[in-house]
Amino acid sequence: MNIIEIQGVTKRYASQLALDNVSISIPEGSIFGLLGPNGAGKTSLIRIINQITAPDEGKVLFCGEKLSPSHVSMIGYLPEERGLYKKMEVGEQAIYLAQLKGLTRKDAIAKLKSWFEKFEMQSWWKKKIEELSKGMQQKVQFIVTMIHEPRLLILDEPFTGFDPINTRLITEELLSFRSKGATIILSTHRMESVEELCSHIALINKSKKILDGTVKEIRAAHKTNIYELEYSGNVIGFSNALGSGFELVSSSQDFTTTRARVKMLGDNTVNNLLHALIPHVQIHGLREIVPGMNEIFINKVNG
Amino acid sequence: MNKILLIIKREYLTRVKKKSFIIMTILGPILMASIFIAPFLINKISEEKIVIEVIDEIGIKLPETENITFDYKNISFEDAKANFRRQHYYAILYMPMIMLNYPGGTILYSKKDVNLSIKEYISNAIGQELYEAKLASHGIDKELLRTLKTDIQIRTIKATEKGEEKSESEKATMIGLISGALIYFFIFLYGAQVMRGIIEEKTNRIVEIIISSVKPFQLMMGKILGVAMVGLTQFLLWVILTAGITTFFMNYAFQNPGSRKKIEKMMVQRNQQMGDSQSIAAKEIAKEAQSSPVKELLGNINFPLIVGSFIFFFLGGYLLYGALFAAIGAAVDSETDVQQFMLPITIPLILSFIVAQSVVMTNPDGALAFWFSIIPFTSPIVMMVRIPFGVPVPHFILSVTLLIAGFIFTTWLAAKIYRTGILMYGKKITYKELAKWLFYKE
């Protein structure tokens, strides 16, 4: 089942087109990477899902229902441009924001206490936000986003401002949150976190969706059929052995071994390649070169 | 609806807990009470007892008061001057013989600058004594002269439906001006607070988090209403504290036996001077003076009407302008960009204050006063100034209705600008841009 169904959404600001007939399905329980260069329209789309703005055309369904104010309490949103009231105390502020999401004051306090314990920040309760460091503020912000245990969590560049230790902490929280059945939309430029976390992605460029699907499928679809071989033996013998069925893309020599990238031509398989090579060289290793999300992103956006 | 209450609560509590609010709440009444109390205090402070050494070559006796006494010496002015430093006298008064023909000859010789009121008292006393001496030398009877003089006092009476009422133009003027000024001041003070609050939310970048939970309109209205309640709290505390402080000091001042006696003595003198023909007026004045100072201050003015209208016109004016302040806050990125948009707000406010002061004071029922008290942008101040003078009921109803319509209109306008503006960062906004925002679909 899809928790979010975006159907033909178009959004215009004055003369500028922010989203052009975008349709995306976000399956329940996925970690969905929303990718795209700056100004592509990601934030506009996220704001529409959050009902901050409404689409000019098209519609958005939440669990099959048309998006309505009653869904607000089921969504948690951490915007890219985020902050808190600087002069307000941490605890009071967290309670306030939790109440705005529909929690009662009592529930909010109980839940916050357990979060604060987990992150070892009980001593911050009475402090003002401005007294905390940037990273500490981000932690508070993260807790506030999750406090009402939303079914859908929308995070826009969640890792900026965190050191590697906190990034790990947050990542673990996200994964355990997902394992409880929640869905996460992750908008980020950090492709390594996309590869690590996301099961699905959609790529938006110049207001249009240009790619979507599971990460596995997308990477498989972008395979270039190139393998890297590590071998020792005669380099010329190696090239000759490739014959017309394979193409040598690159080759570099170490002290004892050579690394070569070979592209399969026609219907040739790895087995055919090995069959051709084994009589001529000693093979130490073989692996398929699968393009990273980073390459796919750059290729798709520039291409 | 519940969420709007949450927002109102936060806006209210964070503001009333601020040190600046507490300081203003305490300082305001002290300043206002001091306006009422100052004259009494000044009177008390000047009650310092002084003795003046008199070298009199003419032979007149000056009347003494509780505070000023004279010590007549039969020595030369030169000797007195020589000994002056060693003595406790406040000053030496020298009245030489030539004074009769040459009034500038009198000398008041002292260590420091002579208190103006003492100088005036002495010169009046000498003048009076010489006047009476001269009258006597011409053979004119003092009492005869007094009966010839007629003291005219005009009592103004206003014909109303309830019968005759004593007219209170001076009090009406004062109350009208004070409440008009307060509304003017409150609109600016609390309007600016709304604006600053919104700019703060924008620069803090918390606004996007909040409007993912509530509608922008709820956030805007919550802020405007929360600040309105802060304003009302401050106003009510000011009224209560000012009344409290003033009553406390007045009672203290009147319980002081010296001043009470003095006032009673004054009353008796006044009654005697006025004679029987004017006894009714005298009795009324006496009655008034005996009642409490606050009551005397208010007289026949309809106090509940004034306070009720004040609260209405303060709220109405504040809501009308508060919405505009909110729109400005949403449109700009920082307070330094505010200036270009402030003009349309300040001009009608300043204009209405000027009109309130000049035209309304001289002609509270004139055409200019009428129009300014009907147009919603100026009515909160101008109508408030007119009310103490009495306003025809239809005018009042028209003004109230238009003001309500006015703030509904500005709130609608502001909401449109607000919901676009709060998510707009790093862009210099022009009036043209604002106009475009009005037509954006949600």
Side-chain angles (χ1 to χ4, degrees):
Chain A
M1 188 183 172
N2 292 328
I3 189 159
I4 289 283
E5 191 88 50
I6 298 161
Q7 296 175 344
V9 163
T10 298
K11 178 77 185 171
R12 276 179 216 92
Y13 293 111
S15 55
Q16 193 195 343
L17 193 62
L19 290 170
D20 185 4
N21 194 20
V22 172
S23 298
I24 296 172
S25 300
I26 297 171
E28 181 145 32
S30 63
I31 296 187
F32 194 98
L34 191 59
L35 314 179
N38 295 322
K42 285 173 298 181
T43 305
S44 296
L45 188 61
I46 288 176
R47 282 180 182 167
I48 286 172
I49 299 174
N50 275 303
Q51 302 176 65
I52 290 170
T53 51
D56 294 332
E57 286 159 36
K59 58 181 175 180
V60 179
L61 304 180
F62 187 98
C63 292
E65 294 167 36
K66 197 168 183 318
L67 211 53
S68 74
S70 63
H71 295 129
V72 159
S73 61
M74 295 181 223
I75 300 178
Y77 176 39
L78 184 67
E80 182 176 13
E81 298 279 7
R82 52 185 174 248
L84 296 163
Y85 288 112
K86 292 200 161 50
K87 306 259 177 218
M88 226 175 150
E89 282 172 10
V90 173
E92 220 25 71
Q93 175 147 230
I95 293 170
Y96 171 63
L97 292 172
Q99 280 180 303
L100 285 185
K101 278 289 181 191
L103 259 62
T104 63
R105 193 180 167 85
K106 217 176 118 197
D107 281 355
I109 292 172
K111 284 189 174 151
L112 283 168
K113 292 275 184 205
S114 80
W115 272 99
F116 273 52
E117 233 164 81
K118 190 192 245 172
F119 282 8
E120 288 170 3
M121 43 196 260
Q122 295 99 314
S123 61
W124 304 359
W125 191 266
K126 279 273 165 197
K127 278 192 180 151
K128 283 185 181 160
I129 291 289
E130 59 187 355
E131 295 167 39
L132 302 182
S133 74
K134 180 97 177 147
M136 290 155 105
Q137 291 183 23
Q138 294 274 14
K139 265 191 185 174
V140 175
Q141 196 120 43
F142 185 76
I143 292 174
V144 164
T145 313
M146 310 257 294
I147 188 72
H148 58 295
E149 290 166 4
R151 285 176 67 182
L152 175 64
L153 196 58
I154 303 175
L155 308 171
D156 199 346
E157 290 297 350
F159 300 112
T160 42
F162 281 122
D163 58 30
I165 296 167
N166 281 327
T167 304
R168 177 98 326 253
L169 192 72
I170 300 297
T171 307
E172 275 161 17
E173 277 312 317
L174 290 181
L175 289 172
S176 91
F177 199 60
R178 203 264 315 254
S179 67
K180 285 180 209 155
T183 312
I184 298 168
I185 298 178
L186 190 65
S187 168
T188 180
H189 291 127
R190 291 166 44 135
M191 291 305 147
E192 69 273 17
S193 33
V194 174
E195 278 169 13
E196 184 188 353
L197 292 170
C198 294
S199 54
H200 297 67
I201 63 138
L203 180 57
I204 295 177
N205 189 32
K206 292 180 184 150
S207 326
K208 288 193 170 76
K209 181 189 79 179
I210 55 173
L211 182 70
D212 69 345
T214 67
V215 172
K216 259 187 205 155
E217 279 165 16
I218 287 172
R219 288 183 70 175
H222 286 80
K223 268 187 208 160
T224 46
N225 246 355
I226 293 174
Y227 288 79
E228 191 178 75
L229 281 147
E230 198 179 350
Y231 68 91
S232 54
N234 193 325
V235 179
I236 295 166
F238 177 84
S239 334
N240 290 341
L242 290 179
S244 60
F246 310 95
E247 183 195 334
L248 183 62
V249 179
S250 66
S251 177
S252 63
Q253 248 173 313
D254 268 335
F255 294 106
T256 53
T257 61
T258 309
R259 280 169 193 277
R261 290 196 170 189
V262 175
K263 186 169 183 163
M264 310 285 145
L265 300 176
D267 288 335
N268 282 316
T269 62
V270 182
N271 278 6
N272 299 142
L273 176 68
L274 288 176
H275 192 74
L277 289 176
I278 285 168
H280 304 278
V281 293
Q282 180 72 40
I283 295 171
H284 299 289
L286 171 76
R287 70 183 182 96
E288 187 178 11
I289 302 294
V290 179
M293 285 311 300
N294 212 22
E295 286 162 67
I296 296 173
F297 182 96
I298 292 168
N299 277 335
K300 273 287 174 184
V301 168
N302 288 338
Chain B
M1 202 56 220
N2 191 22
K3 286 181 181 172
I4 250 194
L5 289 179
L6 274 172
I7 295 167
I8 292 175
K9 194 177 130 203
R10 191 202 85 88
E11 296 295 337
Y12 181 78
L13 287 180
T14 50
R15 282 189 170 75
V16 296
K17 278 189 204 156
K18 267 191 196 158
K19 278 195 200 87
S20 56
F21 177 84
I22 296 166
I23 290 170
M24 274 288 277
T25 305
I26 296 169
L27 221 57
I30 292 176
L31 286 176
M32 280 203 276
S34 64
I35 294 173
F36 299 118
I37 295 164
F40 288 87
L41 281 184
I42 289 164
N43 202 16
K44 282 183 77 68
I45 288 163
S46 63
E47 283 175 9
E48 169 195 7
K49 294 201 184 338
I50 57 167
V51 185
I52 293 172
E53 186 179 20
V54 183
I55 315 294
D56 178 20
E57 294 180 0
I58 312 168
I60 51 174
K61 278 264 179 275
L62 296 176
E64 297 186 340
T65 70
E66 271 177 46
N67 302 325
I68 306 173
T69 47
F70 300 102
D71 192 357
Y72 295 88
K73 287 280 178 63
N74 207 356
I75 51 172
S76 80
F77 184 45
E78 297 306 317
D79 289 345
K81 272 207 284 193
N83 291 330
F84 183 56
R85 289 240 157 254
R86 278 177 278 123
Q87 279 167 325
H88 64 277
Y89 295 119
Y90 177 78
I92 308 170
L93 175 63
Y94 178 48
M95 295 189 282
M97 209 51 196
I98 56 159
M99 203 177 83
L100 289 172
N101 305 316
Y102 172 57
T106 320
I107 293 170
L108 195 57
Y109 184 83
S110 70
K111 288 169 196 154
K112 49 184 184 183
D113 278 332
V114 174
N115 186 330
L116 206 67
S117 63
I118 293 170
K119 192 179 152 197
E120 206 161 303
Y121 174 78
I122 291 173
S123 97
N124 280 345
I126 297 174
Q128 187 65 31
E129 287 303 319
L130 288 181
Y131 173 71
E132 282 177 12
K134 281 177 185 169
L135 281 182
S137 72
H138 285 86
I140 299 168
D141 183 16
K142 248 189 338 190
E143 285 309 308
L144 175 70
L145 197 68
R146 180 171 284 166
T147 54
L148 289 177
K149 236 161 100 185
T150 317
D151 192 7
I152 305 294
Q153 287 196 331
I154 296 177
R155 294 175 61 222
T156 49
I157 291 170
K158 195 165 66 172
T160 67
E161 281 148 27
K162 281 183 267 170
E164 288 183 351
E165 255 179 34
K166 214 163 59 162
S167 162
E168 310 258 1
S169 328
E170 291 86 1
K171 280 172 195 169
T173 305
M174 194 179 80
I175 289 174
L177 261 192
I178 289 179
S179 25
L182 266 182
I183 288 183
Y184 174 82
F185 171 69
F186 270 33
I187 287 177
F188 267 117
L189 186 72
Y190 294 105
Q193 281 201 20
V194 169
M195 186 178 75
R196 245 179 271 127
I198 290 171
I199 294 175
E200 187 204 356
E201 280 170 354
K202 239 186 119 171
T203 48
N204 274 352
R205 302 287 198 255
I206 194 173
V207 67
E208 196 162 347
I209 294 176
I210 293 179
I211 59 168
S212 71
S213 309
V214 303
K215 283 205 166 1
F217 183 74
Q218 290 177 310
L219 178 57
M220 185 182 91
M221 278 325 281
K223 186 172 287 287
I224 292 176
L225 294 178
V227 173
M229 285 173 62
V230 177
L232 276 184
T233 308
Q234 182 137 66
F235 170 68
L236 291 178
L237 283 175
W238 277 5
V239 168
I240 293 166
L241 287 177
T242 306
I245 294 174
T246 313
T247 323
F248 173 77
F249 269 92
M250 290 302 203
N251 285 342
Y252 173 75
F254 278 108
Q255 269 159 14
N256 187 318
S259 5
R260 176 158 288 226
K261 222 182 282 164
K262 212 157 69 186
I263 286 162
E264 275 164 12
K265 213 161 72 188
M266 261 165 57
M267 305 305 299
V268 173
Q269 275 173 1
R270 206 148 90 182
N271 284 349
Q272 283 170 348
Q273 281 170 5
M274 282 173 190
D276 287 336
S277 61
Q278 284 156 347
S279 63
I280 304 161
K283 260 180 209 157
E284 250 172 52
I285 291 166
K287 206 167 70 192
E288 245 173 54
Q290 275 159 3
S291 59
S292 82
V294 177
K295 204 170 162 204
E296 185 195 353
L297 202 71
L298 295 171
N300 279 348
I301 301 287
N302 186 341
F303 192 60
L305 175 75
I306 301 275
V307 171
S309 325
F310 180 89
I311 290 175
F312 174 80
F313 282 100
F314 159 62
L315 276 182
Y318 161 81
L319 288 176
L320 183 120
Y321 281 100
L324 295 179
F325 273 108
I328 295 178
V332 300
D333 266 346
S334 69
E335 259 180 86
T336 47
D337 300 335
V338 160
Q339 229 43 48
Q340 57 162 333
F341 295 116
M342 282 297 281
L343 214 58
I345 290 189
T346 33
I347 284 178
L349 274 176
I350 291 174
L351 194 66
S352 48
F353 196 60
I354 292 169
V355 168
Q357 272 177 305
S358 54
V359 182
V360 175
M361 290 297 103
T362 50
N363 187 6
D365 295 318
L368 194 59
F370 168 75
W371 284 109
F372 270 79
S373 62
I374 294 302
I375 298 168
F377 285 87
T378 51
S379 67
I381 294 170
V382 178
M383 193 44 129
M384 198 55 229
V385 177
R386 278 186 68 195
I387 284 170
F389 294 94
V391 177
V393 176
H395 288 195
F396 185 80
I397 292 171
L398 183 61
S399 172
V400 165
T401 318
L402 282 180
L403 185 56
I404 292 172
F407 74 67
I408 290 172
F409 170 72
T410 58
T411 307
W412 170 83
L413 194 80
K416 294 228 155 203
I417 293 175
Y418 180 85
R419 61 156 205 240
T420 308
I422 42 171
L423 293 172
M424 203 72 83
Y425 301 121
K427 201 170 166 192
K428 207 79 170 146
I429 302 303
T430 59
Y431 278 108
K432 211 177 134 194
E433 198 94 21
L434 285 188
K436 267 194 217 157
W437 293 0
L438 294 181
F439 301 105
Y440 276 4
K441 272 194 279 168
E442 205 178 309

